[in-house]
Amino acid sequence: MRVVLVDVRNPLNIGAAARAMSNFGFPSLRVVNPYDVAFRDARSAVGAAATLATAEVYKTVTEAVADCTLVVGTTAIGHRDLQHSLVVLEKGARDIRTHLATGPCALLFGSEKFGLSNEDMSHCHWLMHIPTRDEHTSMNLGQAVAVCLYELVRDPTATAERAKGTPALSAEVERITDTLLMALRASEYPKLNTSKSFHAAVRRVIRRLRLQQGDAEFLLGMLRQMIWKIKKNESA
């Protein structure tokens, strides 16, 4: 299980998230594009030193989730027009526990002010939210991490059923996304030039397929053959 903090700016929040991870037994912390001062100051947080000492820093979400086979984003919803399936915490935690029997999962938390961006969310298979009252939907980052991780461990009798097959890594899915975009460019697909969010939309579509490793390799091979054929015809 990887807890991924994206664009976090407050050292108190980073420290609180790391302490919650230590409380509930989740040692793998990853931070994406952290504010350097905040990350440096957070290292003095009580009870969080060990988790912060081993935290991994990445420049992009793509790199941070590359070795994961499930990526789940968190959101307070608000007034956003979401492009993903949305589940409440209790069901989401159940699904994550089941998946962890087959491969690593990344749980993404966004910045204190804006949450996850649409680009960040495009890396997710689905989104999860903590049910709060309508008058105050957002939670403090450290508290949100603690609540999510508590839900993951609160039922020690729950057993996860191993799914058949091995899910494709996010890095493999990203290669398919990039290769599909190359094929679309080669075919002069018109929407590539009309939508700034087209790349993210393609990424979301590919992730909804929930590809297994063998299927991912098969699809990637087909796309590469298409590109080779298109380029061969162009040069003929």
Side-chain angles (χ1 to χ4, degrees):
M1 183 73 191
R2 291 85 158 102
V3 174
V4 183
L5 307 181
V6 184
D7 292 328
V8 177
R9 292 293 180 263
N10 190 320
L12 295 177
N13 288 334
I14 298 174
R19 181 166 184 174
M21 293 173 64
S22 180
N23 287 144
F24 298 114
F26 295 93
S28 181
L29 173 62
R30 297 180 175 183
V31 289
V32 177
N33 190 31
Y35 179 49
D36 183 62
V37 174
F39 190 50
R40 186 169 60 249
D41 291 348
R43 294 179 185 274
S44 62
V46 177
T51 302
L52 289 166
T54 58
E56 300 174 274
V57 181
Y58 296 87
K59 291 182 179 179
T60 66
V61 173
T62 301
E63 297 169 322
V65 303
D67 63 343
C68 297
T69 52
L70 175 66
V71 182
V72 178
T74 57
T75 178
I77 307 175
H79 301 291
R80 303 184 69 162
D81 181 18
L82 301 177
Q83 304 296 319
H84 291 73
S85 298
L86 180 70
V87 300
V88 295
L89 175 60
E90 184 176 4
K91 180 183 184 306
R94 227 173 18 243
D95 292 345
I96 290 173
R97 281 197 300 267
T98 298
H99 182 87
L100 286 171
T102 69
C105 171
L107 184 58
L108 271 59
F109 296 86
S111 70
E112 298 91 340
K113 190 171 183 179
F114 301 108
L116 295 171
S117 68
N118 289 336
E119 175 69 18
D120 298 332
M121 288 183 180
S122 72
H123 291 274
C124 299
H125 292 90
W126 42 271
L127 303 176
M128 181 171 72
H129 90 107
I130 301 169
T132 54
R133 66 189 183 99
D134 293 340
E135 294 81 2
H136 196 174
T137 58
S138 64
M139 291 183 67
N140 169 271
L141 175 62
Q143 293 175 332
V145 172
V147 170
C148 289
L149 297 185
Y150 167 73
E151 186 65 31
L152 281 170
V153 301
R154 74 176 178 86
D155 185 3
T157 64
T159 56
E161 296 181 3
R162 180 173 287 275
K164 294 181 179 179
T166 303
L169 295 174
S170 282
E172 295 174 305
V173 178
E174 190 67 12
R175 278 195 292 272
I176 291 172
T177 302
D178 291 339
T179 306
L180 176 56
L181 286 167
M182 288 175 60
L184 291 171
R185 291 189 190 97
S187 67
E188 299 181 352
Y189 188 74
K191 289 188 177 181
L192 279 170
N193 299 319
T194 60
S195 174
K196 293 182 180 179
S197 60
F198 187 76
H199 192 144
V202 171
R203 182 183 289 120
R204 287 194 299 270
V205 169
I206 297 299
R207 273 154 183 72
R208 287 182 188 133
L209 298 177
R210 300 301 298 275
L211 292 167
Q212 301 293 303
Q213 281 189 356
D215 295 335
E217 294 170 4
F218 187 42
L219 178 56
L220 186 59
M222 289 190 289
L223 290 171
R224 286 172 171 166
Q225 175 65 22
M226 291 177 189
I227 294 172
W228 176 82
K229 188 66 174 180
I230 291 172
K231 291 182 176 180
K232 182 180 179 181
N233 289 341
E234 288 176 347
S235 61

